[in-house]
Amino acid sequence: MAAAGGAARQCWRRGGAGLTRTVRGLSGSVREAEGLRAEELAERLRSSAGQRREIPKDPAQRQLRELTALSQQLQRVHPNVLAKILKQETVYQNEEIVVINKPYGLPVHGGPGIKNCIADVLPILAKMLENMRAEPLHLCHRLDKETTGVMVLARNRETADKVRLLFKTRQVEKIYWAIVLGDPDPAEGIVEIPIVEKEVQSHQSHYKMTLAPNYRLCPEDGKVVKIRRNRSAESAVTRYRRLAGASACSLLELQPITGVKHQIRVHLAYGLGCPILGDHKYSHWSKLAPQKLPVLTLRRLKLQQSKARHLPLHLHAHRLCLPLGQPIDLVCKPPRFFQKTLKKLELDIAKD
């Protein structure tokens, strides 16, 4: 075998003729080897490699695999590499704040099974943006792991406290975009229903945020009756407006006035009956299952219902107006997968 290996190395150096002689010696079939060219061998190798990778034919499944691979890659890279990626996603900075376009699938805080998160690389990012003696950046607010878009970081603790107070006192105007199933009725309005976290009793018990209204319908006469407020519930207010509608879906502009956990997702799914596309958690209450999509939506996405679980959450923090001295208007474009879905569903909106 050592001699054969040496012969093979020599033949590679001699070119195509040497390759044919090597293949003849290793295969044991002179007739078959004589007809085999180097190009054919390379093509066979490429084909066999492609079969091992098993690239999905389904576009949605392929898209989510790419997003999942990106999310996993962000967990594997060195913190310096992650900080460099966030530096490339910087959309605005001044002497007080730094604003990034948060990538999909990257958690803000650490936890079980999380190696990399935004909070952990803030000291490295600060040095990359300024110098080696820069003070670590500070988180001012948070976005869910699957949510993309505008995220504000402060250069010092004093600014961070100032920005957090602006968020707490509802002086920051936040605008989100979401692709949802269905058409909200009315097309523009305000959802003002408290939200509380509850345990869902099913074959697989889990916790979800849900509505805790201060009223109910009387079964006898159908009148609205005020009830006692749930002490654990938090006040939640979301303003919404439909920007476009097509393919049994809508593009909504959302302004959360309050900042309750999963507020937008809960108000859309349970308040308006229009869950966000790819929100498999809040498309059902009593079970954990992939989102059920309308036939027209499946057709436009070129997707089978059995593959619906591969759809990512289509929620993007699009714009943020920060009254820090002079009002700062910050805008982030939706990620590529969000834009592709808009195009497939023919959800066209006027350009700003």
Side-chain angles (χ1 to χ4, degrees):
M1 289 299 292
R9 285 192 293 272
Q10 292 175 5
C11 291
W12 272 109
R13 288 195 292 269
R14 291 172 190 160
L19 174 64
T20 304
R21 286 195 297 273
T22 304
V23 172
R24 181 190 303 124
L26 295 176
S27 66
S29 173
V30 177
R31 189 174 301 170
E32 187 176 314
E34 286 176 344
L36 186 64
R37 297 196 304 262
E39 293 85 352
E40 293 173 337
L41 179 60
E43 182 59 35
R44 289 186 186 182
L45 290 172
R46 280 196 295 269
S47 299
S48 61
Q51 289 172 359
R52 285 195 298 271
R53 282 194 296 268
E54 294 182 352
I55 299 173
K57 295 181 180 179
D58 179 75
Q61 187 176 358
R62 189 163 59 244
Q63 182 184 70
L64 186 71
R65 176 173 288 192
E66 291 170 1
L67 288 169
T68 303
L70 174 61
S71 180
Q72 292 172 346
Q73 184 181 359
L74 291 176
Q75 289 299 305
R76 289 194 298 265
V77 299
H78 190 277
N80 288 355
V81 177
L82 179 58
K84 189 174 182 179
I85 292 170
L86 295 180
K87 180 185 177 183
Q88 293 171 347
E89 294 294 339
T90 301
V91 296
Y92 176 86
Q93 58 178 311
N94 61 18
E95 66 279 358
E96 291 186 299
I97 63 171
V98 173
V99 180
I100 62 171
N101 189 351
K102 179 190 167 300
Y104 175 88
L106 180 62
V108 175
H109 296 284
I114 294 176
K115 180 184 175 183
N116 284 333
C117 64
I118 292 176
D120 288 347
V121 299
L122 292 183
I124 306 172
L125 179 59
K127 292 175 182 178
M128 287 183 175
L129 292 172
E130 263 188 276
N131 54 59
M132 293 303 292
R133 304 178 71 177
E135 180 182 344
L137 293 165
H138 301 264
L139 291 170
C140 298
H141 62 121
R142 62 166 294 162
L143 293 174
D144 290 343
K145 178 182 175 182
E146 293 83 10
T147 304
T148 58
V150 184
M151 188 163 191
V152 181
L153 308 170
R155 290 193 185 271
N156 54 67
R157 190 174 297 279
E158 182 183 354
T159 301
D161 291 339
K162 194 186 303 182
V163 174
R164 288 170 192 152
L165 183 61
L166 291 174
F167 274 97
K168 187 176 180 180
T169 54
R170 304 176 187 176
Q171 297 183 59
V172 179
E173 183 179 348
K174 299 170 287 184
I175 301 296
Y176 287 74
W177 278 6
I179 301 176
V180 304
L181 302 182
D183 188 10
D185 185 19
E188 183 175 352
I190 296 175
V191 181
E192 187 173 359
I193 308 174
I195 292 176
V196 69
E197 188 170 33
K198 287 186 177 180
E199 183 177 6
V200 181
Q201 299 291 344
S202 65
H203 68 284
Q204 188 178 354
S205 294
H206 56 284
Y207 285 88
K208 286 183 182 178
M209 306 302 288
T210 189
L211 302 179
N214 299 331
Y215 56 86
R216 66 177 178 85
L217 291 176
C218 184
E220 289 78 18
D221 54 14
K223 291 183 178 180
V224 176
V225 179
K226 192 171 180 64
I227 59 176
R228 182 180 296 178
R229 184 180 181 275
N230 187 320
R231 292 182 180 179
S232 302
E234 297 183 71
S235 298
V237 183
T238 306
R239 182 179 286 123
Y240 71 92
R241 179 167 68 98
R242 189 183 67 174
L243 299 178
S247 311
C249 292
S250 300
L251 173 65
L252 300 186
E253 179 186 83
L254 304 143
Q255 183 183 1
I257 308 301
T258 53
V260 180
K261 178 183 176 182
H262 295 173
Q263 173 181 317
I264 291 176
R265 298 165 66 180
V266 173
H267 273 175
L268 291 181
Y270 301 150
L272 291 175
C274 296
I276 298 174
L277 183 67
D279 193 350
H280 309 290
K281 181 170 185 175
Y282 288 107
S283 293
H284 314 276
W285 168 251
S286 60
K287 58 182 177 179
L288 292 170
Q291 189 175 54
K292 180 72 174 176
L293 299 178
V295 175
L296 180 56
T297 306
L298 291 169
R299 191 184 312 139
R300 290 281 170 82
L301 293 175
K302 297 180 180 178
L303 182 69
Q304 296 178 355
Q305 177 56 48
S306 61
K307 307 295 183 182
R309 66 185 183 277
H310 298 298
L311 282 173
L313 182 73
H314 285 69
L315 178 62
H316 175 70
H318 176 61
R319 176 175 255 156
L320 191 148
C321 187
L322 191 65
L324 197 63
Q326 290 287 337
I328 305 172
D329 197 16
L330 306 162
V331 178
C332 284
K333 290 183 179 180
R336 189 178 301 173
F337 77 85
F338 195 111
Q339 296 181 44
K340 284 183 178 179
T341 301
L342 286 175
K343 187 174 181 180
K344 289 177 183 177
L345 296 177
E346 301 179 0
L347 289 168
D348 301 320
I349 56 173
K351 294 184 179 179
D352 294 338

